[in-house]
Amino acid sequence: MGIALILILAGLMELSAPGPLIGDLTARSVRLWIHSDQPEQVRITIVNDDGETVDQKVTSTLPENGNCSTLSIIELKPGARYEYTIDGQHDAAWWFRTLREPDLSCRIAFGSCAKETEGSSKVWQRMDADDITALVLLGDTPYIDTTDLKRQRERYRAFSSVPAFKTLVAHTPLYSTWDDHDFGRNDTDGNLPGKENSRRAFQEHRPNPSFGENDLGIYTSFRQGPVEVFLLDPRWFARTEGDEDSPALLGEQQWAWLTRSLSASTAPWKVIAGGMVFNDSVRSGKTDCWGRYPKEYERLLGVIKQAGGDGVVLVSGDVHWSRALRHDTQEQLGYDLIEFVTSPIHEHLIKAADAPHPGLLFSQGEINSFLVIEAETIDGKHAMTMSLRNASGETLYSKAFVSPSN
């Protein structure tokens, strides 16, 4: 592939061309995303640790797909390390390791609100040093603030061109949802004109396992070790259903998916994650939080109760402040839900986000911060620890969870 330098907005980094990056990863398959400067045919070769070619595919990067292509490599061996080349070129970061069978452990990083800056790059480097097994982006990754397709594509490519980010996701599976700024506008909802362009650009640049259903939304899920992550889309359907007194947030289609998927999950730990915070303790005037959709929040509790068990936790971002909160759900669920808010990866804090909450466990403004979930199964018992960390490697707050009953 051709390599070009991209000079973006003043104050940000000079970047190389984007990609490649690893998407959804299982014990026997991987999704691989590539981009070229011009439309062309690209040859991908997968090589095992013995130097043997196990697969080779040719794909086309076409203008109608933003010169991007995502391909799936299947029939791989569990727990095996592979390297890949692109048109005969190779880089030390171009490798991946399939999940083991059974897969008994994971170290999943979550983050939101990132820019093409040195501070955000320090977070990507820290995640790489921490040997994370997956990266989950919760939105505002990147900041776009328009539904113009050309601009959407430009911003995704610039974000994916940061050297430290490129290195990390070249061998670490990336999973993503969006928040308001990458959806298209600050604090917006599903009535935003042009949202189809945002979805198209997201599909082109983020190799998730799936993208909603019926060409609507981008919600998805994946599992590593004893953890299954359910990535919500709180933008596409928001306020497009229901009425003024009880507007929708997730929409009936997404609710049906979440109800079905959560109940079918066999994972001991279930992480429900999205950019929008699940509480109402936000800065004055902020309208995009679950607290502004009280009936939807109660419905969420009902879905969790229906799924059974006590292994559910919540993860959110958006607000430019790191927090951990206990939701008073003992009456509805038989236990209190814990929510971790992880924001920002970049350097912009919002002090007003440090709002009071009766179940507040931790609240701190910390630039270049992220969340790590470490979980493992030993002798049939499941342990999980959730830790808010910063780019220097310091743990800001950590909470251990006992083995769930389900």
Side-chain angles (χ1 to χ4, degrees), residues 180-199:
D180 49 351
H181 292 283
D182 32 9
F183 184 59
R185 191 177 66 201
N186 185 45
D187 291 356
T188 195
D189 57 34
N191 295 296
L192 180 67
K195 66 180 183 180
E196 295 81 8
N197 290 334
S198 300
R199 186 176 187 272

Side-chain angles (χ1 to χ4, degrees), residues 24-36:
D24 185 39
L25 179 71
T26 73
R28 299 179 182 272
S29 67
V30 67
R31 301 196 77 192
L32 180 65
W33 177 89
I34 60 172
H35 171 268
S36 61

Side-chain angles (χ1 to χ4, degrees), residues 28-297:
R28 299 179 182 272
S29 67
V30 67
R31 301 196 77 192
L32 180 65
W33 177 89
I34 60 172
H35 171 268
S36 61
D37 298 325
Q38 302 294 331
E40 62 182 7
Q41 284 195 327
V42 181
R43 186 179 74 256
I44 310 296
T45 304
I46 308 296
V47 179
N48 65 19
D49 251 2
D50 294 326
E52 302 168 332
T53 296
V54 299
D55 202 350
Q56 189 171 88
K57 294 184 182 296
V58 176
T59 187
S60 297
T61 57
L62 303 175
E64 54 264 37
N65 297 322
N67 293 341
C68 301
S69 179
T70 298
L71 59 155
S72 295
I73 309 295
I74 60 175
E75 298 182 356
L76 300 173
K77 292 183 178 180
R81 188 183 188 278
Y82 296 91
E83 296 184 353
Y84 56 94
T85 65
I86 302 174
D87 285 341
Q89 299 181 37
H90 178 65
D91 184 275
W94 294 2
W95 62 272
F96 61 89
R97 186 181 299 278
T98 53
L99 304 185
R100 293 178 172 83
E101 284 186 344
D103 192 29
L104 301 178
S105 65
C106 61
R107 183 180 292 117
I108 305 173
F110 295 76
S112 68
C113 311
K115 294 184 177 180
E116 300 91 286
T117 59
E118 291 290 347
S120 294
S121 287
K122 291 178 181 178
V123 173
W124 310 135
Q125 292 165 347
R126 171 51 52 190
M127 290 177 176
D128 214 359
D130 286 347
D131 292 326
I132 63 171
T133 58
L135 168 61
V136 179
L137 297 180
L138 298 172
D140 297 346
T141 48
Y143 286 79
I144 305 176
D145 292 306
T146 178
T147 59
D148 177 76
L149 182 58
K150 182 175 183 292
R151 183 59 178 159
Q152 281 266 337
R153 287 169 169 169
E154 289 173 348
R155 291 297 301 120
Y156 275 109
R157 288 196 292 270
F159 188 88
S160 298
S161 298
V162 173
F165 182 78
K166 283 177 56 176
T167 297
L168 173 65
V169 297
H171 51 260
T172 303
L174 172 67
Y175 299 89
S176 308
T177 187
W178 54 26
D179 201 27
D180 49 351
H181 292 283
D182 32 9
F183 184 59
R185 191 177 66 201
N186 185 45
D187 291 356
T188 195
D189 57 34
N191 295 296
L192 180 67
K195 66 180 183 180
E196 295 81 8
N197 290 334
S198 300
R199 186 176 187 272
R200 180 175 176 179
F202 185 94
Q203 285 183 284
E204 290 172 350
H205 293 84
R206 293 291 179 255
N208 276 357
S210 58
F211 302 90
E213 300 161 294
N214 305 313
D215 296 325
L216 303 173
I218 60 164
Y219 52 87
T220 193
S221 64
F222 72 95
R223 178 168 175 175
Q224 282 197 355
V227 175
E228 186 162 2
V229 178
F230 300 86
L231 275 175
L232 302 184
D233 175 358
R235 298 293 170 181
W236 184 272
F237 302 96
R239 298 187 179 274
T240 64
E241 302 172 15
D243 53 42
E244 187 175 346
D245 294 329
S246 183
L249 181 58
L250 298 190
E252 289 303 320
Q253 176 177 292
Q254 188 171 188
W255 276 120
W257 166 81
L258 182 62
T259 302
R260 181 177 67 249
S261 302
L262 199 63
S263 295
S265 176
T266 59
W269 304 107
K270 303 170 183 67
V271 178
I272 301 177
M276 188 180 292
V277 296
F278 293 92
N279 59 85
D280 59 359
S281 294
V282 294
R283 66 181 184 272
S284 177
K286 185 172 178 59
T287 59
D288 60 334
C289 63
W290 279 77
R292 298 295 184 266
Y293 299 84
K295 291 186 178 180
E296 294 284 89
Y297 177 78

